[in-house]
Amino acid sequence: MDPNKQIIVALDCDSRPVAEDIVARLGEECRFYKVGLELLTAAGPDLIKDLVAQGKEVFLDLKLFEIPNSVAGAVRAAGALGASMVTVHSMGGTAIMAAAVDAARAFPELRVLALTVVTSMTDADLADIGVTDSAEEQVVRLARLARKAGCHGVIASPQDVAALRGPLGSDALLVTPGVALPGDSSAEHARPDTPRAAVAAGASHIVVGRTVTRAADPAAAFHLVRTSIVP
Ligand code: C5P
């Protein structure tokens, strides 16, 4: 896989000009962006279309958790914008994941990724919501369920990737946020790791946010992430 397409930069900002400034600074080397609910709500869907028109791939991080009919509608809307990836919550169960996968069939480039346990959650956080298994056990259970429902892959922390590669098989996408370069203190993930470690453990893609976007020189930071994966 093209290493530039393995790195997805999260455009976690609140306006189109700020997002466009980051995209312009990162230039040709960065090919893949994640747009989440903040930017989508603030800037509107035309931003996605424009990024796709510039030749960028877009991971639309909708974190869908709704009735199946509404999930399917949102996935179709994401596909119509040209998104390459969209997320659905596996904790919502098989029906909503299957609805998402079914809706995505009309868009051959669109991959449905399931969220398992968000990387900020610890075993204690899970216990608070009545899940007595460890985060790792819950991640594996939900990831298996997601694959059974037809999802193309899952979002997982770097530490969970190695445990997932076997059960999910070699063709599953494993997209890993919660990574930061060594010495970077901008991230507060409960279970952080480096991009290199995540890829070595089996991640197909990594998501980097502030490590790149809040760097004094975002292009240099992106390049550092890239070369840390493929020296
Ligand atoms: O921390 P960073 O700025 O690199 O976060 C980039 C992306 O990773 C965010 O858009 C968020 O969706 C995701 N993330 C996550 N779990 C966390 C922190 C961030 O999934 N604990």
Side-chain angles (χ1 to χ4, degrees):
M1 189 184 294
D2 175 355
N4 284 16
K5 285 199 169 186
Q6 279 187 283
I7 305 164
I8 305 172
V9 171
L11 291 172
D12 291 330
C13 56
D14 62 2
S15 78
R16 182 172 178 131
V18 174
E20 286 177 338
D21 180 58
I22 295 166
V23 173
R25 280 161 169 257
L26 293 179
E28 285 303 308
E29 204 178 10
C30 181
R31 311 283 307 281
F32 215 143
Y33 288 96
K34 180 168 92 72
V35 175
L37 297 172
E38 180 186 14
L39 184 59
L40 179 67
T41 306
D46 282 350
L47 174 69
I48 317 297
K49 283 188 189 167
D50 292 347
L51 286 168
V52 172
Q54 287 172 47
K56 308 299 185 190
E57 290 200 47
V58 176
F59 167 6
L60 197 48
D61 195 11
L62 296 181
K63 297 183 160 67
L64 297 168
F65 198 146
E66 249 282 13
I67 61 168
N69 186 57
S70 300
V71 166
V75 168
R76 280 194 297 276
L81 290 174
S84 300
M85 291 178 176
V86 66
T87 40
V88 60
H89 271 285
S90 56
M91 283 183 84
T94 300
I96 72 161
M97 289 190 281
V101 171
D102 201 39
R105 285 189 221 287
F107 306 93
E109 305 303 319
L110 183 58
R111 297 285 169 264
V112 176
L113 301 172
L115 290 150
T116 57
V117 179
V118 293
T119 57
S120 57
M121 287 188 92
T122 62
D123 291 355
D125 294 325
L126 286 176
D128 285 346
I129 57 164
V131 176
T132 50
D133 283 343
S134 68
E136 189 176 340
E137 288 166 326
Q138 180 72 349
V139 165
V140 174
R141 172 188 294 113
L142 293 174
R144 283 184 195 276
L145 194 67
R147 280 299 264 175
K148 220 171 136 195
C151 290
H152 303 97
V154 302
I155 309 293
S157 81
Q159 289 76 9
D160 295 324
V161 167
L164 290 175
R165 193 38 96 190
L168 297 190
S170 57
D171 62 330
L173 298 178
L174 288 174
V175 178
T176 303
V179 290
L181 287 168
D184 190 330
S185 60
S186 67
E188 79 278 358
H189 311 288
R191 293 170 275 143
D193 217 326
T194 64
R196 187 191 186 119
V199 170
S204 60
H205 298 79
I206 56 161
V207 176
V208 286
R210 291 161 291 181
T211 282
V212 167
T213 58
R214 304 237 175 125
D217 183 345
F222 182 90
H223 192 72
L224 212 54
V225 172
R226 189 193 175 288
T227 51
S228 80
I229 293 172
V230 185

